[in-house]
């Protein structure tokens, strides 16, 4: 059996604001043999984010930052990321918009997951908007983050069928199941590029 000792995984941080189900799936993935990454830091703007509990459970360092004074806070975050030698950031249900300056400092090193088939339905309330437009499909997208909202290069997408009696809640649930599979696959793809 091949021993993993000495195999160095890239240190990463996950940014969250809420439930953290994508964070959970990323932590699980990071512990598999094939994972090129480890998750070393969880950052949240919301002290009440349920997802922070995964940090406790899996013994991953957690940091909460108050985004009211964004530029000051972003500098603090950048220092923290440097301190822990974080090379890549995964946004997973992170509800704050990072500044251009911050994104430039991590150019090409930030991924996000978005619950729509981008470029359709950037921003919030994606499921209701897809239903209002009588779409036949929706889905999710993992993309690189650039300074325009939900507009960076697409890594991978997964389609789901919108059923007849779909509600925004049922659609969100359906899409989320796919998100949990798509994010790890997208990470593997980025590392194979
Ligand atoms: C996901 O649908 C994600 O795409 C969106 O917010 C939701 C977060 O879910 N940006 P969770 O916190 O990962 O459970």
């Amino acid at each position: 059996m091949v021993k993993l000792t000495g195999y160095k995984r890239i240190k990463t941080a996950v940014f969250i604001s809420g439930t953290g189900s994508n964070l959970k799936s990323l932590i699980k993935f990071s512990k598999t043999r094939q994972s090129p990454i480890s998750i070393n830091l969880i950052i949240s703007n919301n002290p009440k984010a349920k997802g922070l509990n995964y940090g406790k459970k899996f013994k991953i360092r957690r940091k909460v930052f108050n985004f009211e004074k964004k530029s000051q806070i972003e500098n603090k975050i950048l220092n923290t990321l440097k301190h822990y030698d974080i090379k890549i950031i995964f946004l997973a249900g992170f509800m704050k918009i990072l500044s251009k300056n911050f994104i430039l400092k991590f150019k090409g090193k930030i991924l996000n997951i978005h619950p729509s088939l981008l470029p359709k339905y950037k921003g919030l309330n994606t499921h209701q908007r897809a239903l209002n437009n009588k779409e036949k499909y929706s889905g999710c997208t993992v993309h690189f983050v650039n300074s325009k909202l939900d507009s960076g290069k697409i890594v991978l997408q997964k389609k789901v069928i919108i059923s007849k009696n779909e509600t925004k809640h049922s659609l969100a649930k359906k899409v989320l199941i796919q998100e949990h599979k798509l994010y790890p696959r997208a990470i593997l793809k980025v590392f194979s590029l």
Side-chain angles (χ1 to χ4, degrees):
M1 206 199 284
V2 187
K3 264 186 154 185
L4 267 184
T5 0
Y7 172 64
K8 257 194 153 183
R9 296 177 194 232
I10 306 285
K11 291 184 181 171
T12 73
V14 181
F15 286 31
I16 60 163
S17 298
T19 317
S21 66
N22 276 293
L23 165 66
K24 186 183 172 199
S25 94
L26 290 179
I27 295 173
K28 275 183 145 178
F29 166 68
S30 74
K31 295 183 181 300
T32 61
R33 289 177 76 80
Q34 65 188 136
S35 169
I37 56 127
S38 60
I39 296 171
N40 301 74
L41 186 62
I42 298 165
I43 287 184
S44 178
N45 62 303
N46 173 14
K48 293 191 177 139
K50 265 174 74 187
L52 286 168
N53 292 327
Y54 293 118
K56 207 170 178 187
K57 184 168 175 200
F58 293 98
K59 299 194 172 41
I60 301 170
R61 187 171 281 105
R62 297 160 288 168
K63 299 264 180 204
V64 175
F65 292 93
N66 178 343
F67 265 69
E68 259 162 44
K69 287 182 183 159
K70 191 156 123 179
S71 65
Q72 274 181 29
I73 285 309
E74 284 192 340
N75 282 330
K76 276 195 180 171
I77 296 178
L78 286 168
N79 286 335
T80 307
L81 294 170
K82 200 168 173 190
H83 180 79
Y84 293 110
D85 196 29
I86 300 297
K87 302 286 193 238
I88 299 181
I89 296 169
F90 302 121
L91 307 182
F94 183 63
M95 302 307 283
K96 293 285 173 187
I97 295 175
L98 295 165
S99 72
K100 212 172 179 171
N101 174 56
F102 185 100
I103 293 165
L104 274 177
K105 297 256 164 64
F106 266 80
K107 204 170 171 218
K109 302 278 190 298
I110 310 178
L111 291 180
N112 180 41
I113 187 147
H114 184 76
S116 79
L117 294 173
L118 291 173
K120 283 189 166 177
Y121 309 114
K122 296 173 184 176
L124 297 174
N125 204 17
T126 54
H127 304 305
Q128 189 59 59
R129 287 191 285 146
L131 293 175
N132 292 348
N133 285 346
K134 310 227 176 307
E135 297 281 1
K136 288 202 172 86
Y137 301 98
S138 188
C140 46
T141 305
V142 175
H143 64 95
F144 284 101
V145 171
N146 66 11
S147 54
K148 277 194 194 156
L149 184 69
D150 300 326
S151 299
K153 192 166 181 281
I154 290 171
V155 180
L156 275 183
Q157 293 188 303
K158 177 72 187 178
K159 243 186 194 179
V160 305
I161 296 171
I162 297 184
S163 342
K164 239 185 165 187
N165 300 315
E166 203 80 77
T167 65
K168 68 173 181 179
H169 300 293
S170 63
L171 182 56
K173 225 171 151 183
K174 207 187 243 182
V175 170
L176 200 56
I177 290 170
Q178 297 307 324
E179 290 184 41
H180 299 156
K181 297 180 192 163
L182 192 72
Y183 219 157
R185 279 183 48 220
I187 293 171
L188 284 173
K189 181 171 174 195
V190 164
F191 274 86
S192 70
L193 292 177

